Amino acid sequence: MNPVRLRIIALLLISLAIRLAWGLAQPPEPTATLPDQKEYLAIARNMLIGQGLRFRDDRFGADEVVAFRSPGYPAFIAMLTASPQLVRIGQAVLDTSTVLAMYLLAKRWMDERAALGAAALVGLNPFLIFFTGVILSETLFTAALAWGVSLLGRRYLVGVLPLAIAVIVRPAAVMFAPLACVLVAWPSVWKMIGWTIVGAAVSILTLLPWAYRNHEMLDQWIWSTTNTGQTAYDGFRPGATGASDLSELPKMPELRGLSEVSRNALLAKRGRDYMMQDLPRSLGLAVRKVARTWSPVPLSDEYASTRNRIVGLLYTLPVFVLVLIALFRRTIPLPLKALCLLPAVYFTAGVAVTVGSIRYRLPAEPPMIVLAASVFKRNTSQEISRVLSDS
């Protein structure tokens, strides 16, 4: 077999083995450390018994919510029989596919050494590895985004299809595909218009059945979820620190007895009001949220052990330094640099008006790693011109 192919296969197998070992070492049922896990599992298990996308939110009494979580990730869990261990195995495979996606993107623009370096950095990313072992949407969303960026970065229009999966997993990504298409088609004006229309249409059509279903059930066109109000409130509530803390919500009597739509609207309004009442404070919170999101070490009480901090620091700081170096070197075309950075810019803007956490930067890391690996690229500027002329 071709030695090049052997190297990438070996790297993929090592990446998969690490993720499987980590995932299968987790408890059979998720703990309460990350309560979102139990919500996703509850929705998926209700889907399997024919009750649809719903679960009981005990914080506000016997209140069943039907649009609190978007359908993409619960559907993925349901496909794997809502077994946490099967989900972890599936996520190990998905995250390994992210390694392959970034290798293929890097291989399009770089030599084999740099492409393998990019794949190795993605494969050994401790944050990506960690989230394959928890029942949260990060791994599925990151894989969908990675394949979308990879295929678009290789000038394949089919890249909008993985981005459609990303949108149904997290509707907040609805504008990502059109923006990515602008960068891919740059600088041709007509190509930019055409690609952007396709990207926008795919995003909207992906969410349309979900929005229509919500309209039928709740009498409102909800294109995202009824969780957005809580997130907006969480970001600017009194005592906000930039981290998420919704422990006070069950103690708010005005929220009891409200429908999920009314509760979402009330919390969203309060979040906006708190943000506008003290703009200097809101700006300071935005800075804190961004700093939390891009922290090189874990910050939560549960995971900020000395060991985890050392691992995070040893991995993240060199990658960040390489990204900064790559920004000032002409190793890959400017539109590709922008495409690799787009997820970071897009999701950083999102956390500035919500809450900050390392988990929200996770989808941005694989494309950034490709940019970082371009520092080791042997190709000259003439080689870049050749690749561009072949596109």
Side-chain angles (χ1 to χ4, degrees):
M1 187 181 288
N2 187 319
V4 171
R5 190 168 295 178
L6 277 174
R7 284 194 287 267
I8 186 59
I9 289 174
L11 182 54
L12 292 172
L13 289 175
I14 292 169
S15 299
L16 178 61
I18 293 171
R19 285 154 175 77
L20 286 174
W22 169 252
L24 295 176
Q26 304 310 304
E29 286 290 324
T31 63
T33 305
L34 295 168
D36 294 2
Q37 298 182 91
K38 295 194 172 182
E39 294 177 0
Y40 281 123
L41 281 169
I43 297 171
R45 286 166 178 168
N46 282 332
M47 291 176 68
L48 289 173
I49 60 175
Q51 293 185 4
L53 289 153
R54 62 181 72 227
F55 74 98
R56 176 172 166 169
D57 191 341
D58 292 324
R59 295 174 301 169
F60 308 106
D63 186 15
E64 196 171 56
V65 292
V66 299
F68 193 77
R69 298 287 182 189
S70 55
Y73 188 58
F76 170 75
I77 297 174
M79 287 172 58
L80 296 169
T81 70
S83 162
Q85 292 295 62
L86 286 180
V87 171
R88 292 172 184 132
I89 292 171
Q91 290 183 165
V93 174
L94 271 179
D95 207 50
T96 302
S97 84
T98 296
V99 178
L100 177 61
M102 294 300 95
Y103 169 78
L104 294 174
L105 175 61
K107 192 75 172 73
R108 172 70 175 81
W109 298 97
M110 306 176 198
D111 58 274
E112 182 66 20
R113 181 183 68 168
L116 281 172
L121 283 172
V122 176
L124 296 175
N125 186 308
F127 300 107
L128 290 174
I129 293 168
F130 171 81
F131 276 98
T132 61
V134 294
I135 314 300
L136 294 173
S137 63
E138 269 67 27
T139 297
L140 175 59
F141 184 73
T142 299
L145 201 81
W147 278 105
V149 169
S150 178
L151 292 170
L152 286 177
R154 303 177 80 213
R155 302 294 179 88
Y156 296 153
L157 189 56
V158 72
V160 297
L161 299 180
L163 295 183
I165 296 173
V167 167
I168 204 62
V169 174
R170 287 190 190 170
V174 66
M175 290 302 298
F176 185 86
L179 291 173
C181 286
V182 169
L183 297 175
V184 170
W186 183 274
S188 170
V189 174
W190 290 112
K191 284 184 178 180
M192 286 168 58
I193 293 172
W195 279 59
T196 303
I197 290 173
V198 171
V202 168
S203 292
I204 293 170
L205 290 174
T206 300
L207 285 178
L208 182 59
W210 168 246
Y212 178 77
R213 174 259 188 192
N214 293 337
H215 177 266
E216 292 297 295
M217 297 191 72
L218 300 171
D219 200 31
Q220 284 207 22
W221 287 91
I222 298 171
W223 290 81
S224 55
T225 68
T226 53
N227 185 29
T228 55
Q230 290 190 25
T231 305
Y233 175 81
D234 197 12
F236 298 99
R237 59 185 166 76
T241 63
S244 179
D245 183 1
L246 292 170
S247 58
E248 68 180 76
L249 288 189
K251 304 171 187 175
M252 297 169 64
E254 64 270 32
L255 298 181
R256 290 185 173 269
L258 294 180
S259 68
E260 66 176 296
V261 172
S262 299
R263 189 162 53 241
N264 182 61
L266 175 61
L267 289 171
K269 181 180 184 304
R270 288 194 178 179
R272 289 192 301 270
D273 290 345
Y274 286 132
M275 180 177 66
M276 299 305 297
Q277 282 172 8
D278 191 344
L279 289 178
R281 169 183 177 268
S282 298
L283 182 60
L285 280 172
V287 172
R288 286 189 194 179
K289 295 168 191 176
V290 171
R292 285 186 60 84
T293 300
W294 291 99
S295 168
V297 298
L299 298 174
S300 64
D301 294 337
E302 297 88 352
Y303 302 109
S305 66
T306 301
R307 181 198 64 184
N308 289 349
R309 284 174 173 268
I310 291 173
V311 171
L313 199 64
L314 290 177
Y315 178 86
T316 305
L317 278 185
V319 170
F320 285 179
V321 170
L322 289 174
V323 169
L324 291 174
I325 294 172
L327 286 175
F328 296 99
R329 292 187 61 182
R330 192 173 183 269
T331 53
I332 56 177
L334 185 59
L336 182 61
K337 285 185 180 181
L339 183 63
C340 288
L341 285 177
L342 178 61
V345 175
Y346 188 93
F347 296 116
T348 298
V351 302
V353 293
T354 54
V355 292
S357 171
I358 286 176
R359 62 187 282 197
Y360 300 132
R361 81 158 190 249
L362 207 67
E365 291 209 357
M368 281 179 58
I369 288 169
V370 171
L371 179 58
S374 72
V375 170
F376 305 107
K377 177 175 179 284
R378 289 195 183 99
N379 291 2
T380 63
S381 58
Q382 288 79 15
E383 177 66 11
I384 293 175
S385 299
R386 183 193 65 76
V387 174
L388 285 172
S389 66
D390 293 341
S391 300

